Amino acid sequence: METNKSVKEPTEEKKSRWKKMLKKFGIGGIIFFTIKGIITSTLIYFLGKNFWTIISGYFSGIFQ
């Protein structure tokens, strides 16, 4: 019986953690943070490619 309880405890912790997050943020909040993460990752990816070009253009525009 004791081994049965120790096996079931981690799954109960995961469910309760997920339920706590769902209660805290709600479905809309989870969707918002997911979309925010996708947008942020996309911006970092595309801006990272041209980062030095953008920065050098910005500073050369300031000092002209």
Side-chain angles (χ1 to χ4, degrees):
M1 289 302 257
E2 289 178 25
T3 56
N4 231 2
K5 287 182 182 178
S6 63
V7 171
K8 289 184 179 180
E9 284 178 8
T11 57
E12 289 175 4
E13 282 183 21
K14 287 182 183 178
K15 285 182 182 178
S16 65
R17 181 176 174 212
W18 181 252
K19 284 182 182 179
K20 285 179 187 177
M21 286 179 59
L22 188 62
K23 275 187 179 178
K24 187 174 183 180
F25 298 115
I27 294 173
I30 291 173
I31 292 170
F32 170 76
F33 286 119
T34 304
I35 293 172
K36 179 183 171 190
I38 291 169
I39 291 170
T40 304
S41 300
T42 306
L43 288 174
I44 289 171
Y45 176 74
F46 286 114
L47 290 178
K49 285 184 171 182
N50 301 320
F51 178 73
W52 291 114
T53 309
I54 294 169
I55 296 299
S56 65
Y58 177 74
F59 283 114
S60 66
I62 288 176
F63 293 118
Q64 277 184 347

